[in-house]
Amino acid sequence: MPSSVPAALMAASELTKRPVVTLGGEAVAQVKDVVLDGAGGRIAGFTLAGRGLLSGPLRKSLPWAAVHALGVDAVMIASAEALEDKSAVASSDEASGLVRGARVLTDQGVQVGTVLDVVVEAGREGRVVGVEMSSTEALGRHGRAVFLPLGDRPAMTGDTLMVPAQDTEHAVEELGELATALWRKRLAGLGTTGEERTS
């Protein structure tokens, strides 16, 4: 199913310093930080900095609702009026979770890693689709960085991300492989047994 193949994927850390550009082509800011909505499994918005080497933080932020699209080279907005007061994003009660350093535990209580970064999908939804994590011995790749695909609504409590144990089978070692892993995970979820292959 081509429609279930995810769009371009990027690490949240790579979004910092990405320009914020209006549909008219005007660069109005750059991303300072990505604020995540852990409960919703999406980007809540961005804190911003001015453009250029000497520009500091802006007193404006960009809520996700005002984003036209998240592209591989820029964050697109309709116009500069989309920018809001910094508190619109930075102090959001829902903006939390999926932070670096969070433990990744399976639903069987086994710690399989520690979050290094969050992977988001380009486009209009701003979905969190995976994490990069430092793996534990339980995953058989102790200390190696791997990418783990996530479901639609990651279960985040405090500093812990809970994942189904069977999802660890889809861990990959390169960001470029994560799109395929997500596609396989989604296909596996369509079956009654959750298995990828049918006889």
Side-chain angles (χ1 to χ4, degrees):
M1 288 189 292
S3 62
S4 65
V5 177
L9 304 181
M10 58 198 87
S13 61
E14 293 175 0
L15 297 177
T16 59
K17 299 190 178 176
R18 189 156 296 187
V20 177
V21 181
T22 68
L23 294 177
E26 180 188 3
V28 295
Q30 69 181 19
V31 173
K32 180 177 178 284
D33 239 331
V34 181
V35 181
L36 298 166
D37 171 5
R42 299 185 187 285
I43 296 173
F46 304 98
T47 59
L48 303 173
R51 297 281 295 147
L53 291 174
L54 301 177
S55 296
L58 291 180
R59 295 185 182 216
K60 298 279 187 182
S61 65
L62 178 60
W64 181 258
V67 172
H68 177 74
L70 175 62
V72 293
D73 296 314
V75 178
M76 301 300 298
I77 59 175
S79 70
E81 283 76 42
L83 305 183
E84 294 188 18
D85 185 81
K86 191 173 182 178
S87 64
V89 169
S91 66
S92 172
D93 289 338
E94 65 186 13
S96 62
L98 292 176
V99 292
R100 290 180 195 102
R103 297 180 311 151
V104 182
L105 267 100
T106 69
D107 53 4
Q108 296 173 349
V110 177
Q111 182 172 351
V112 292
T114 304
V115 175
L116 299 172
D117 207 343
V118 176
V119 180
V120 296
E121 190 173 28
R124 292 180 181 241
E125 293 186 32
R127 291 190 318 130
V128 172
V129 294
V131 291
E132 179 182 10
M133 67 180 190
S134 174
S135 58
T136 66
E137 276 184 40
L139 203 58
R141 306 175 193 191
H142 183 60
R144 286 162 59 185
V146 298
F147 293 88
L148 183 69
L150 297 178
D152 289 338
R153 291 191 171 267
M156 190 77 196
T157 56
D159 62 353
T160 303
L161 171 65
M162 296 291 293
V163 297
Q166 67 265 22
D167 285 3
T168 61
E169 298 167 14
H170 300 284
V172 293
E173 296 191 6
E174 300 290 332
L175 179 58
E177 300 171 341
L178 186 59
T180 302
L182 281 160
W183 181 71
R184 287 182 178 150
K185 179 179 173 343
R186 291 173 185 173
L187 281 181
L190 295 176
T192 55
T193 63
E195 295 176 357
E196 287 183 41
R197 294 187 289 263
T198 56
S199 46

